[in-house]
Amino acid sequence: MDVTSPNGRRAFVELLVNMSLCDDSQLGRDPTMQYLPELRCWQIDCPDSSDDSSSSGVVSPYYFSNIICIADHLLGCHTRCFPATADRPARKLERGESIMATVVIKDAFALAKRNASEDDRDEVKTLKKIRDTFKREKPNGILYPKIVVGGRVSFSRGGQPVEDTTSAIYEGANDELLAIVSSDSLFRAHRRIVMKTIGEPLCTVRTVKEFVAVIYDAMKCHYMVVKSCKILHRDISDNNILVVRMKDGTVRGLLIDFDCAIDISKDEGVRGEMMGTRPFMSLNNLLRSNVTRTSLDDWESMLYLLCWYATIGFGTNGDRPNEQELTKEQKLVKEQEHLRDLHIAKWRHGTLVAITKAKLTNLRSLDNFKRDIVREFNKGTNNKELKDLALELYKALFKNGKLEEIYHGTEGEEEDPSLIAFLNGQPQPTSVDDDESNIANPFALRAEKWKQISDDLLSVIEKAKNDMVNWKDTP
C-alpha cells in the first residue's frame, strides 16, 4: 500500500473504514477471555464437546494468571498455554502471586476440516480416543496427556453462536482476499483443550539420567498409543515432550501436542506429505517421499532430538546457557556461537535441501554417524553412555539385523530419481511404483517391518533406562 499515490491513499482510507465496521472478533478481540481486575486474574471459557469431535458444546469457566507459551509468530497455530484451575479465586491475588494450577489449557488455531465431525486430525478427538482406550486397557506406568474438556471456541455475533474459524474472521472480505483464504487446505479452527498433568519444557532437564528417563517415558507412551490406539504422533520434537517432576522426586516424561497426529486404523499412513518440526524431521518427511509414514519416522525424529541434546549438553552448569532466562534472539545467538562449526548445526539452520543433504550424508553409514555426529557430543555429559545409546538406536533403525545389508543406511535413497530432482532444485517426477523400480530403497523395506523395528528401538531405550542406575549423575 503506497500512501504517496492516490490509489494507495484511497486503499488506506478504505482499510480504516472497513476496520471501523468490523465485528470486534474480526479485529482479534476474544470475547471468551476476560480480565477480572477484582481478582487480578483472567477467566477463560473452555468448550466441552458432547461427542468425540470438537464441535462446540457447553462451556466451563477456568481461571489463570500466567502464560507458559506465547503466540508470538505471525504464521502457524498461534498456540498459547495457560496453567489454570476450575476454582474461582476466593480473593484478589497479591502482585506477583500465581493461581495454584491444577490443569493446563492449550489454545490454538489448528488446521481443520470445516465439519468438526468429519475432522480425522482433530486433537480433541485424538486425545479422547487415547483417554478412553487407556482407561479400558489400563497400560502399566504410562504417562499420557489426559483431556478433561475440549472443543472449538464459539462466540455470539448478532445474538447467534458462531464458531471462531478463519471463515468467521474473513466473513465480508472482498472477493480477491476470499479467493486466497477460502481454500479448504488453509481452513483453521480455534480449539481449546483442558488437560491434566502439568510439566516443564524439555530444556529444564538437569542431567543425562533425567533426559533418558524423560525420553523413555515419551517414547513408551508413543509406542502404546500406536499399538493400542492406532494413532501416529508425527511431530516428535523438543517442544512436544515435557518434564514432569513428581512429588516423590522422580522425573517423568510426557508426550504432548497431537495436532499433527493421524488415525492409522483407517489409513496405514500417508505418503508424500511433509509433517513435523524441521530440525527433527525424518528423511521421509523432508523428501516428501512416497514411502508410507510409520512410527519409525517418529523414532528417527527422537534420534535427532537425542543427538541435539547430547551435543548442547544438559543443565546450566556446563557450556549450555539457561534457556528459560534468555530471549529467543539471545538463544539463537548462543546456539550459533556454540554450534557454528559442528555438523549437527546443518540439521537446524539452512534451506530444506541443505538440511536434507546433511542428514543423508551424516546417516549414510554407522561410520559417518560416528564421525560426523557422535564424536561431537558435549564432553560435559555422560559422554560414553549417551554415545552408546545413540549408536544402538542408529543400528536398530538404520542397520537392523532383520534387514539385508543392502537396506542399511541411506544409500538407496540417494539414487532415487525423485531425490535427485529435489536436491538439484528441479520438479520431482511422479511417484515410481515400487514394483517398477530397481532401486533398493532402505526406507521402503523398513516401513514394511516397522512393528518389529519399533520393538527393537523401545528395547534399546528401555535397557538404557534400566542401566542408568549405574551411571554417574553428572550434567
Side-chain angles (χ1 to χ4, degrees):
M1 187 181 295
D2 182 7
V3 294
T4 63
S5 67
N7 287 338
R9 288 192 290 273
R10 178 185 176 86
F12 180 65
V13 172
E14 287 180 349
L15 173 65
L16 295 179
V17 171
N18 288 332
M19 288 177 67
S20 70
L21 298 175
C22 276
D23 184 89
D24 283 354
S25 62
Q26 292 176 296
L27 295 175
R29 179 178 176 271
D30 187 346
T32 64
M33 290 177 61
Q34 58 178 316
Y35 184 67
L36 307 177
E38 70 277 14
L39 295 176
R40 201 174 276 149
C41 71
W42 289 81
Q43 177 180 314
I44 180 170
D45 296 332
C46 297
D48 182 12
S49 55
S50 57
D51 54 19
D52 287 339
S53 74
S54 64
S55 55
S56 300
V58 298
V59 171
S60 302
Y62 285 78
Y63 304 89
F64 71 92
S65 55
N66 296 322
I67 302 176
I68 55 177
C69 179
I70 302 173
D72 56 357
H73 293 278
L74 180 62
L75 304 176
C77 295
H78 285 222
T79 301
R80 299 176 295 176
C81 292
F82 313 102
T85 179
D87 299 323
R88 182 183 174 92
R91 59 172 177 80
K92 186 174 184 177
L93 298 178
E94 300 293 334
R95 292 191 181 277
E97 184 182 5
S98 297
I99 278 180
M100 187 66 69
T102 56
V103 296
V104 64
I105 299 172
K106 178 181 177 181
D107 182 270
F109 260 90
L111 290 170
K113 289 186 178 179
R114 296 179 188 277
N115 188 335
S117 63
E118 298 176 356
D119 195 352
D120 294 332
R121 299 185 183 183
D122 181 346
E123 187 175 14
V124 174
K125 186 186 296 185
T126 297
L127 291 176
K128 285 182 176 180
K129 182 176 181 181
I130 293 172
R131 177 195 63 191
D132 295 344
T133 301
F134 284 177
K135 187 182 294 185
R136 183 174 62 252
E137 296 188 1
K138 296 180 174 58
N140 185 36
I142 300 295
L143 193 63
Y144 62 95
K146 299 179 177 68
I147 184 171
V148 180
V149 297
R152 291 189 181 185
V153 175
S154 62
F155 51 85
S156 177
R157 179 184 288 174
Q160 297 296 320
V162 177
E163 284 192 348
D164 193 10
T165 65
T166 47
S167 294
I169 293 171
Y170 292 118
E171 184 179 312
N174 60 47
D175 293 340
E176 184 179 358
L177 179 58
L178 283 175
I180 298 172
V181 301
S182 61
S183 167
D184 286 345
S185 64
L186 298 177
F187 180 80
R188 290 181 180 269
H190 187 183
R191 291 197 201 110
R192 202 166 276 161
I193 306 173
V194 180
M195 294 170 285
K196 293 181 180 178
T197 309
I198 300 174
E200 304 171 353
L202 187 59
C203 65
T204 61
V205 290
R206 299 164 187 162
T207 65
V208 174
K209 290 171 69 172
E210 283 191 359
F211 178 74
V212 172
V214 167
I215 62 171
Y216 167 75
D217 276 340
M219 295 312 293
K220 181 63 181 293
C221 173
H222 177 278
Y223 178 90
M224 293 304 299
V225 165
V226 171
K227 181 179 179 180
S228 299
C229 309
K230 302 297 185 287
I231 289 170
L232 185 61
H233 188 278
R234 303 201 305 161
D235 190 15
I236 302 297
S237 71
D238 53 350
N239 292 324
N240 294 339
I241 297 176
L242 295 183
V243 180
V244 181
R245 300 190 181 278
M246 312 301 284
K247 291 181 180 179
D248 63 2
T250 57
V251 175
R252 303 289 306 274
L254 178 66
L255 181 63
I256 62 167
D257 199 349
F258 285 77
D259 265 343
C260 299
I262 56 171
D263 187 337
I264 56 175
S265 65
K266 301 175 182 178
D267 182 3
E268 283 299 317
V270 295
R271 296 169 178 244
E273 190 174 42
M274 185 169 69
M275 188 63 64
T277 304
R278 185 174 289 189
F280 310 107
M281 273 187 193
S282 70
L283 284 165
N284 274 335
N285 278 299
L286 286 169
L287 296 166
R288 296 181 186 266
S289 164
N290 68 336
V291 174
T292 301
R293 305 296 188 269
T294 69
S295 65
L296 300 188
D297 291 281
D298 286 352
W299 277 101
E300 186 179 331
S301 295
M302 195 281 293
L303 176 60
Y304 298 148
L305 181 63
L306 183 149
C307 291
W308 174 249
Y309 270 78
T311 303
I312 63 176
F314 300 87
T316 58
N317 298 325
D319 295 330
R320 185 181 174 199
N322 185 344
E323 294 187 8
Q324 288 188 305
E325 297 176 0
L326 300 179
T327 65
K328 286 193 172 182
E329 291 75 17
Q330 289 172 326
K331 288 180 188 178
L332 184 60
V333 170
K334 287 283 186 183
E335 180 182 299
Q336 289 174 338
E337 289 176 354
H338 183 52
L339 302 172
R340 183 177 346 183
D341 300 323
L342 302 184
H343 287 88
I344 202 170
K346 297 176 182 177
W347 295 2
R348 203 161 181 94
H349 306 293
T351 65
L352 191 64
V353 171
I355 293 172
T356 307
K357 284 182 175 179
K359 286 186 176 180
L360 281 168
T361 300
N362 301 149
L363 300 171
R364 181 180 296 138
S365 67
L366 184 61
D367 287 341
N368 280 31
F369 183 60
K370 286 180 183 177
R371 181 196 66 212
D372 296 346
I373 303 301
V374 176
R375 187 180 64 178
E376 295 178 343
F377 281 5
N378 190 303
K379 300 300 188 294
T381 66
N382 282 95
N383 190 265
K384 182 181 183 306
E385 288 82 1
L386 271 184
K387 282 183 176 180
D388 289 345
L389 176 55
L391 292 172
E392 289 303 311
L393 287 169
Y394 176 93
K395 286 187 280 188
L397 186 57
F398 290 102
K399 198 178 179 182
N400 196 291
K402 293 181 173 64
L403 305 175
E404 297 177 38
E405 190 171 343
I406 192 174
Y407 296 107
H408 292 177
T410 63
E411 288 286 357
E413 279 284 6
E414 295 178 333
E415 301 171 16
D416 190 301
S418 296
L419 172 60
I420 294 170
F422 171 79
L423 296 180
N424 290 329
Q426 302 167 355
Q428 296 187 54
T430 55
S431 298
V432 179
D433 193 343
D434 292 340
D435 293 335
E436 298 176 1
S437 174
N438 294 320
I439 298 169
N441 188 331
F443 293 86
L445 189 61
R446 281 199 286 266
E448 293 177 10
K449 298 182 179 292
W450 69 267
K451 292 182 181 179
Q452 301 96 309
I453 296 176
S454 295
D455 290 344
D456 293 343
L457 288 159
L458 184 64
S459 296
V460 168
I461 200 167
E462 187 170 31
K463 182 178 184 302
K465 178 181 180 291
N466 294 334
D467 289 348
M468 71 183 186
V469 293
N470 300 316
W471 296 1
K472 295 179 181 179
D473 201 10
T474 60

